Amino acid sequence: MNTELLGILATYLLTLVIAIPLGKYLAKVFAGERVWTDFLKPLEAGIFKISGINPKEEMNWKQAMKAMLTINLVWLIYGFFVLMYQDKLPLNPDGNPGMTPDLAFNSIISFVVNCNLQHYSGETGVTYFTQHVIMMFLMFVSCATGIAAAVVFFKAFRDKTTEKLGNFWDFFVKSITRLLLPLSLVMAVILAFNGTPTSYEGKDQFISLQGDTVNVSRGPAAGMIAIKHLGTNGGGWFGTNSSHPLENPNYITNTVELVAQVIIPIAMVIAFGIFIRRRKLSWVIFGVMTVGMLLLLIPTLSSELGGSPALEKMGISQATGAMEGKEVRFGPAISAYWSTVTTIISTGSVNSMNDSTMPLTGAWQLLGMMINSFYGGCGVGILNYFIYLIIAVFISGLMVGRTPEFLGHKVEAREVKIAALVTLLSPFLILAGTALSSFVFTNHGQAEWTVQPQNWLNNPSFHGFSEMLYEVTSSNANNGSGFEGLGDNNAFWNILTGFVLLLGRFLPIIGPIAIAGLLGRKKYIPESAGTLKTDTLTFGLMTFAVIIILNALSYFPALALGPLAEYFTMLK
Amino acid sequence: MKKYIIQSIRLTLVLTVLLCGIYPMVVAFAGGFSAGNGGGEKITRNGKVVGYARLGQSFSKPEYFWGRPSAVGYNAAGSGGSNKGPSNPDYLKQVSDRIDTLLKYHPGLKRSEIPADMVTASGSGLDPNISPQGAAIQIKRVAAYRKLDEKIVAELVAKHTEGPLLGLFGPSTINVLKLNLALDEIKK
C-alpha cells in the first residue's frame, strides 16, 4: 500500500482511538457522574452565577427549545450589527471595511447555525475583532448548541417515562468547559508549533528572492482553526481555508485537523448508547454510518486517484492523481478523504478546492451533504439520523402490521408527521432554491445587480449548474463548503442562502427533540417477543435502505443534471 | 421568556470574555515560543527577510526552480484556487498552454514526464511545494542557466526532498524557496 493511502488509514484509526473513549467520557459528563475534569466545577458555577442560571432547574422539551432559540436570536441580532460596523471597532490593523447589510445578514446566520458558509474572504472581509468576537465565538457556541440539543434528546430515552429533560444551559456550558475549550487549547498549540500564526500583528511585507514585493496576511489564526474543526464549523481564517499553508502548514496539522472534525460526531453516537444504557444500539448506528461513509469514500478515492480524463488525453503524468486545486504537501488521496469527511460531517472546511474535483467526486460530496447524517455535525448528526430511524421504525411497523415502537414508546401519527415534514424539508429547500437560482440565471441574466446573474458562474454548462446546486445543498446541510467559483457575494445569494440556512438548521433540531419529548412522556411498554428491536443488524440495514431510498428519490434528477451529466460528457 | 432573554445576554457576555479574551491570549502566549514567535516562520538572507518558510513565492526566471502555477500570482495578501471545473474548455486550454511552455523551456522533455502538479494551479495559490518529479524535469535547465554540473543540482534536489511523515504517511515534497536559496548559495 502506498504512503498516501496509508495516511488515510492511520488518520481514521487515530480518530477512533480518540473518539470512542471520548464518547464514554461525554456520557459520564452529561449524566453528572464523576469524571477527572470535575476540577472545572468552580468555573462553571461562576458562569452560572454571573448569568443568573440555576443549572439544576429541569426543563421539558418546549422549555429547552425556547432557551435554545432565545440565545440564538440574541447572537443573530447582536452579531449582525457588529459585522456591519466592524470598521469602527478596534483590532483592525489591515483597515478592512464594514459589511454590507446583505452580507452581514448572510454571514451572521451562517455562523450562528454552525455552517460557516463564507461569502467574504478572511483576509479582506473581516477584522481581527470580528474574527474573534463573532466568528470564533459562534464556532464554540453553535457547536455547543448542537451538543446540548442532542443531550436533551438523549435524556428523553434515559428513563422509562419522563417529561424532565435536564437543563439546556447546563449541557450547553458543560460542552464548552468540559469538551470544546480544553480540546481547542491543545489543538491550537499543536497548530502554532507547526507554523500557524497566533500573534495579533497585521500584514507583513517582504521582497522575494526574485525581487517581487509581497504582502502577507496573518493574524491570530491558530485558536480559531482549532475550534473550526472540533466544532464541525469549517469557516477559515484565510480565504482558501485549510488549503492555505498558514492555516494547514503540513501533513501533521492536516492529520490533526482531519481527526478533530470527526471525533465529536462519533463520540456523540457512542455517548448516546451509554447514556441510555443501550450500547448495542450505538454500535448499530455507528456501523450504518461507517458503511455509508465508506460507500462515499471509496468511489471518491477512485475518481480522484485516477486523475482527470481530460489531462490524460494531453499525455502528461498523473501518477498521484488529479492535482488541480490541491496542495502538493497533502496529495490527492488525503484530499479526497478530506472532501468526503467534510461533506458527510457538516464541517465544510476544505484542504483542496471542491470546485475543481472530478465530476463524480462532486456527486459524492453533494450526496454526503444531502444525507447529512453519516456521523453528521456536532450533536445534529445523531438528530438527523434519528429522523431516518423514526421513518424506518414506521415503515417496518407497517410491514409487520403492528404499532411501531421505539425504545418502549409507541410511535404514533403525530411523531411520524413531524419526521415526515423534516424529511421533506431538505429536498424542498435544496431543489426549490436551485430551481429559483437557475430560473434567475437563465431568464434574468441581465438584471442590474451587483453581480449580474449571467456572471455568477465560473464554469459553463453542467458544472455551472453544479455550482448552484452545491451552494444551496451546502446551506441546507449547514455545511459551509462551496464550489467557490460561484459569485456568491451579492444580494440574491446572501438572502437566499440566509433563509435556507436558518430553516435547515432549526427545524431539523426542533423536529427530533419534539418527537423525543413526545415519546419520552408516553407510557413505557416493556419489551416482548413481538417488539421490533431497533438494535439489530436487520434494523440497521432497514435504516440504511430508508436513507438511500429517500435520498435517491429526492435528489437523483438534480445530480443527473449536474455532476453525472458532466461525467458522461467527459467520457466521450 | 423574559427570563431566558436576560440569561442569554448575560451568558453571552461571560462566555465572550472566556472564549474571545482569555482563550486566544493563552494561545498567543504559547505561540510566542514557536518558530517565528507566532507571526509565521520567516526565512532571512544577509539579515533581510526573503520569504516565509510555509508560503510559496513566484519563480519565473529560468535559473530558478519554478513552483506550481498559481491562480492568484502568489499574492499572500489574498489566496485562491482557480475553481475551474474539470471539463471547462478555458481551463483545459490554459493547462495545454502550460504544457507547451514547459516543453519550450526544456528541450527533450517528454509529455509523459510532466507531473500534473507542474501544470495545475494549487488550492491556495500559495503552495510552497512541488513534487520530486516536478523538480527532476527542471534540473537540466537550471544547471545549464547556472553553468553548473547537472550532478550537483541533482544532489541538491535530492537533499531537499522531504519524504513522507515518519517515512510512512503522505507524499514526498520539495520546498521550492528553500531549494532555490540553496542554489544561490552554490554560486558564491
Side-chain angles (χ1 to χ4, degrees):
Chain A
M1 195 187 268
N2 72 35
T3 55
E4 294 198 37
L5 291 177
L6 212 53
I8 298 179
L9 193 66
T11 308
Y12 186 70
L13 290 180
L14 186 60
T15 307
L16 293 187
V17 166
I18 298 175
I20 292 170
L22 188 67
K24 291 178 183 161
Y25 162 80
L26 283 181
K28 280 189 185 166
V29 167
F30 291 118
E33 290 167 26
R34 282 179 61 180
V35 281
W36 65 274
T37 50
D38 281 347
F39 68 89
L40 290 166
K41 269 187 183 162
L43 173 68
E44 286 152 11
I47 295 175
F48 289 132
K49 194 162 175 231
I50 300 173
S51 318
I53 288 167
N54 171 14
K56 298 230 162 28
E57 192 183 301
E58 294 277 347
M59 296 180 175
N60 61 28
W61 75 266
K62 282 188 187 160
Q63 288 166 324
M65 289 298 91
K66 268 186 202 157
M68 178 190 86
L69 290 174
T70 310
I71 198 164
N72 275 270
L73 187 67
V74 167
W75 297 330
L76 275 177
I77 297 171
Y78 140 83
F80 176 75
F81 289 105
V82 174
L83 287 177
M84 266 182 71
Y85 297 108
Q86 61 179 358
D87 52 327
K88 299 181 178 59
L89 295 165
L91 274 181
N92 185 10
D94 296 341
N96 290 339
M99 285 191 179
T100 58
D102 59 302
L103 181 60
F105 170 80
N106 185 278
S107 305
I108 191 61
I109 292 176
S110 165
F111 277 80
V112 165
V113 305
N114 194 257
C115 173
N116 301 192
L117 193 71
Q118 292 166 299
H119 288 178
Y120 63 87
S121 192
E123 290 93 335
T124 51
V126 278
T127 67
Y128 290 178
F129 184 77
T130 41
Q131 290 271 47
H132 277 87
V133 173
I134 303 299
M135 278 53 195
M136 192 172 77
F137 174 76
L138 290 173
M139 286 182 177
F140 275 103
V141 297
S142 66
C143 169
T145 299
I147 296 176
V151 179
V152 169
F153 158 86
F154 291 0
K155 274 286 231 183
F157 299 108
R158 186 172 163 91
D159 300 318
K160 288 188 173 160
T161 301
T162 183
E163 282 217 33
K164 292 178 181 161
L165 303 182
N167 184 289
F168 180 83
W169 303 126
D170 186 36
F171 303 148
F172 173 78
V173 169
K174 276 187 183 155
S175 9
I176 293 173
T177 53
R178 301 296 182 93
L179 176 68
L180 298 173
L181 190 56
L183 282 178
S184 298
L185 264 176
V186 173
M187 184 171 161
V189 172
I190 297 178
L191 291 175
F193 278 86
N194 280 285
T196 302
T198 53
S199 88
Y200 287 78
E201 298 161 287
K203 272 200 189 79
D204 192 19
Q205 197 178 60
F206 67 86
I207 308 230
S208 80
L209 221 50
Q210 275 206 155
D212 310 324
T213 306
V214 181
N215 290 304
V216 183
S217 281
R218 301 182 293 176
M224 175 166 148
I225 298 166
I227 184 62
K228 146 190 161 189
H229 288 106
L230 285 163
T232 66
N233 294 284
W237 181 275
F238 298 101
T240 52
N241 212 295
S242 281
S243 71
H244 195 291
L246 294 180
E247 187 142 348
N248 191 359
N250 57 31
Y251 206 80
I252 299 176
T253 57
N254 192 62
T255 310
V256 171
E257 291 178 16
L258 263 174
V259 168
Q261 56 185 304
V262 194
I263 49 176
I264 296 178
I266 294 184
M268 287 305 282
V269 176
I270 308 292
F272 179 50
I274 299 172
F275 195 84
I276 65 165
R277 305 179 189 98
R278 286 171 191 267
R279 292 181 185 221
K280 207 178 152 203
L281 178 64
S282 257
W283 289 112
V284 171
I285 296 177
F286 173 75
V288 172
M289 290 176 164
T290 305
V291 169
M293 179 202 69
L294 289 174
L295 286 179
L296 291 169
L297 172 65
I298 292 165
T300 301
L301 274 174
S302 140
S303 68
E304 289 303 306
L305 298 185
S308 159
L311 298 201
E312 195 72 50
K313 282 179 201 153
M314 296 181 194
I316 61 164
S317 152
Q318 301 187 81
T320 56
M323 282 305 291
E324 182 70 33
K326 296 197 178 65
E327 301 281 302
V328 169
R329 64 192 179 285
F330 309 135
I334 203 79
S335 302
Y337 176 66
W338 186 305
S339 86
T340 305
V341 161
T342 198
T343 44
I344 56 173
I345 291 168
S346 74
T347 320
S349 65
V350 291
N351 78 341
S352 68
M353 295 296 119
N354 286 357
D355 211 345
S356 299
T357 50
M358 293 304 106
L360 283 185
T361 307
W364 308 128
Q365 290 162 352
L366 282 161
L367 197 56
M369 292 189 289
M370 287 158 173
I371 295 170
N372 206 19
S373 63
F374 290 152
Y375 304 142
C378 267
V380 293
I382 188 144
L383 295 179
N384 290 341
Y385 187 90
F386 176 66
I387 291 291
Y388 291 121
L389 208 151
I390 288 293
I391 303 273
V393 164
F394 174 63
I395 295 175
S396 317
L398 289 182
M399 284 160 73
V400 293
R402 48 174 73 238
T403 318
E405 283 168 26
F406 179 66
L407 303 181
H409 304 283
K410 270 190 185 156
V411 178
E412 290 169 300
R414 204 165 160 202
E415 291 85 44
V416 176
K417 268 187 207 158
I418 299 172
L421 282 176
V422 174
T423 315
L424 290 174
L425 178 74
S426 291
F428 171 72
L429 290 177
I430 292 175
L431 300 176
T434 311
L436 179 67
S437 30
S438 305
F439 176 79
V440 172
F441 174 77
T442 41
N443 292 298
H444 299 283
Q446 313 281 342
E448 291 298 327
W449 297 348
T450 331
V451 182
Q452 283 197 332
Q454 58 181 354
N455 299 326
W456 279 348
L457 308 180
N458 192 37
N459 290 287
S461 185
F462 305 118
H463 197 88
F465 175 79
S466 302
E467 286 181 335
M468 296 193 282
L469 176 63
Y470 197 106
E471 183 75 5
V472 189
T473 308
S474 169
S475 308
N476 174 64
N478 292 169
N479 184 280
S481 62
F483 273 13
E484 290 299 341
L486 183 72
D488 50 18
N489 182 15
N490 51 69
F492 178 85
W493 285 105
N494 283 336
I495 294 169
L496 174 73
T497 53
F499 282 112
V500 173
L501 285 164
L502 271 183
L503 295 171
R505 166 74 168 181
F506 291 109
L507 295 180
I509 289 183
I510 298 170
I513 289 189
I515 298 175
L518 293 171
L519 287 181
R521 70 179 188 208
K522 284 185 191 176
K523 208 171 78 136
Y524 182 83
I525 315 155
E527 253 179 46
S528 67
T531 308
L532 170 76
K533 288 206 175 82
T534 44
D535 54 2
T536 59
L537 187 62
T538 321
F539 188 75
L541 280 174
M542 181 69 196
T543 316
F544 187 77
V546 164
I547 294 176
I548 298 304
I549 293 168
L550 282 179
N551 284 286
L553 288 176
S554 310
Y555 301 117
F556 183 75
L559 290 174
L561 281 175
L564 298 183
E566 188 186 11
Y567 171 73
F568 286 112
T569 16
M570 279 187 85
L571 277 187
K572 275 196 303 193
Chain B
M1 196 64 205
K2 201 179 145 202
K3 186 176 93 183
Y4 289 146
I5 295 178
I6 293 168
Q7 287 175 336
S8 298
I9 294 173
R10 285 163 73 169
L11 188 55
T12 301
L13 287 176
V14 61
L15 287 179
T16 301
V17 173
L18 179 68
L19 302 174
C20 313
I22 299 172
Y23 165 66
M25 279 200 280
V26 172
V27 175
F29 175 76
F33 296 100
S34 68
N37 305 325
E41 191 185 342
K42 294 169 187 139
I43 293 188
T44 52
R45 186 168 67 178
N46 308 327
K48 269 191 193 151
V49 177
V50 290
Y52 277 64
R54 308 281 174 201
L55 298 178
Q57 47 181 258
S58 173
F59 287 106
S60 50
K61 291 185 181 163
E63 65 268 31
Y64 281 122
F65 278 95
W66 299 338
R68 298 184 61 190
S70 162
V72 292
Y74 284 97
N75 171 16
S79 57
S82 72
N83 285 312
K84 298 283 190 210
S87 63
N88 186 332
D90 295 342
Y91 159 68
L92 295 174
K93 168 89 176 43
Q94 218 174 1
V95 174
S96 175
D97 289 347
R98 288 177 189 144
I99 296 175
D100 292 341
T101 310
L102 278 179
L103 291 173
K104 195 178 117 196
Y105 278 89
H106 301 88
L109 180 67
K110 288 196 214 89
R111 278 175 172 262
S112 59
E113 289 167 343
I114 301 176
D117 59 291
M118 291 307 295
V119 292
T120 52
S122 61
S124 61
L126 302 169
D127 196 338
N129 301 115
I130 52 175
S131 63
Q133 174 67 8
I137 60 170
Q138 302 184 53
I139 290 174
K140 214 168 160 185
R141 184 199 79 229
V142 172
Y145 273 92
R146 291 190 175 248
K147 303 196 171 56
L148 287 169
D149 190 354
E150 270 178 45
K151 256 193 200 152
I152 297 175
V153 181
E155 270 168 26
L156 206 61
V157 168
K159 213 180 110 192
H160 280 85
T161 304
E162 284 178 54
L165 180 64
L166 308 172
L168 288 173
F169 311 117
S172 298
T173 59
I174 289 172
N175 185 308
V176 185
L177 175 61
K178 288 181 183 167
L179 175 62
N180 281 332
L181 273 169
L183 262 180
D184 281 353
E185 291 296 309
I186 296 184
K187 234 181 169 179
K188 283 170 196 167

